[in-house]
Amino acid sequence: MSVFQLNNGYPLSTHEVKDFASDLSLYSIPYQECGHWLEVGDCELRNNFTLYISVLSQQAQSLLHQVIPVLKTYGVSFRLLKNDKLVDQSNGLSLGIKEAGKVIVIYPAHAKQAIKLARELEAVTDSFPGITPYDSLRVGKVLYTDLDTGISYHIPAKYRNSRRKGIIGKYYVPIKLLRFNPKGDIYLGVNIKQFSFTHCIIKQAKAASYIDRYGRESAHKLFWQKTVLEQIQHELPVPQVIDFCSKGEDHFLVTGYINGQSLPDRLKGINKDRIWRELELADKVKILGYFLQITEIIKRLHELGYLHRDIQVNNFIIREDKVYLLDFELAYYMPAGTPDPPFGYGTIMFMSPQQRRCEQPAPEDDIYSMGVVLAYMILNPVDQESFSGNIYNALVNAGLEIALLEVITNCLDPVPANRPSLSSIITLLKTGNIPEKIEMV
């Protein structure tokens, strides 16, 4: 068997990459390369004064020519992403949610300099769009700093963080932030229509938070998710669409609330820090029963003509031992070839090599992702960041049965045609002894 690797590589883009090193050279600014970054000065400086500038890739180079002269005048240390492809990846969350939107990171030497810099940078960047970085305080149009810096910035009223969303549409009240996302947050809400007071999920698409190279914004992806859900919600265990509405320039998809556990949380409850070989037979059967449900769901999704294209462990919810599938923004409808082109990005470590290269979507992309999901379910890592490298040895050391190991290795075959069909995986789970025949949980 071949040894396979999981890594945090990045999807490739077909457009000509614009490198930013030449922009620094144009202003005679010396720099050094460090990973994804071009660094100027002492970027090891750590204090409470750090500033971040966010910008969309299409405007990144124009913004640089406004910002670099200011930074040069102050002689301040800073770093910026090397090129516009990395800006796309950062804004698309491929570099991790905590790094999203941080295109330029600036290290003022002291608080007074930070305040003056913020004022001058806001004056030259207030016409550019960008996304909101994780755990940040907005001090300008695309200018941010860390929370609780102790610095009293002058923040224009329109950029001050709002603590309450108020009613969304006519009937939906957000009551709890479930997940921050620079492109749009997810809230638990209450539906007050006809005084029902039932829970719902409110998914936001922030205005101007992302624009792809075809002019499509986050709202387009959210509306596409609504369209897909409406077509499949009577066939599959997925959230039910309640409404699609707007508030200001933001758009919101409202769906039913599935009160359950995420797949990783359910796995942690079953495994209890034990590796696969240490699990009781009943626990192994339960885990594989969930994977059987997942496989049946994806098989039916494909029969309906759709590819999911973001199959990863956090997109499954389990309620009373029933698995539900979430998040259809990247879905692709094969009969009509829509959307055209397909929406880009996904969850890197779960993506096939072909999807990373933005090739034509195919069922084999989802099958590759299924192999990664099964490996994750077997290994039960502490977090996704630790789930990388040579997982073949980790699976062997965990005592995984040969039949299941072959399912994973075949799903992760770099050649799509060599990957198994979902039907063959279902048959193996139902008829093979691995550790015994599996039935639906």
Side-chain angles (χ1 to χ4, degrees), residues 121-158:
L121 288 171
E122 168 61 11
V124 298
T125 60
D126 64 356
S127 63
F128 292 92
I131 69 173
T132 302
Y134 180 82
D135 264 359
S136 63
L137 174 68
R138 190 177 189 182
V139 297
K141 176 72 179 295
V142 292
L143 188 63
Y144 298 83
T145 189
D146 294 320
L147 298 174
D148 302 321
T149 63
I151 301 176
S152 298
Y153 290 99
H154 171 71
I155 306 174
K158 60 183 177 180

Side-chain angles (χ1 to χ4, degrees), residues 8-52:
N8 292 322
Y10 305 106
L12 302 177
S13 176
T14 56
H15 81 280
E16 182 179 349
V17 176
K18 295 178 181 177
D19 292 310
F20 300 144
S22 59
D23 298 284
L24 292 176
S25 298
L26 182 65
Y27 293 91
S28 301
I29 295 179
Y31 63 87
Q32 58 185 4
E33 297 187 17
C34 182
H36 302 312
W37 301 94
L38 301 174
E39 298 190 341
V40 176
D42 180 13
C43 291
E44 294 302 315
L45 184 65
R46 294 292 179 265
N47 53 38
N48 289 332
F49 316 133
T50 307
L51 296 169
Y52 308 102

Side-chain angles (χ1 to χ4, degrees), residues 164-166 168 171-180 185-191 197-204 242 252-260:
R164 298 182 61 86
K165 287 289 178 186
I168 303 298
Y171 310 108
Y172 316 107
V173 183
I175 59 173
K176 182 181 179 181
L177 176 65
L178 297 179
R179 187 187 306 172
F180 166 83
D185 300 326
I186 300 177
Y187 296 89
L188 176 65
V190 173
N191 181 358
F197 294 98
T198 54
H199 281 126
C200 60
I201 294 295
I202 304 170
K203 190 169 185 180
Q204 175 191 32
I242 296 175
F252 300 86
L253 173 62
V254 185
T255 63
Y257 173 56
I258 301 171
N259 186 14

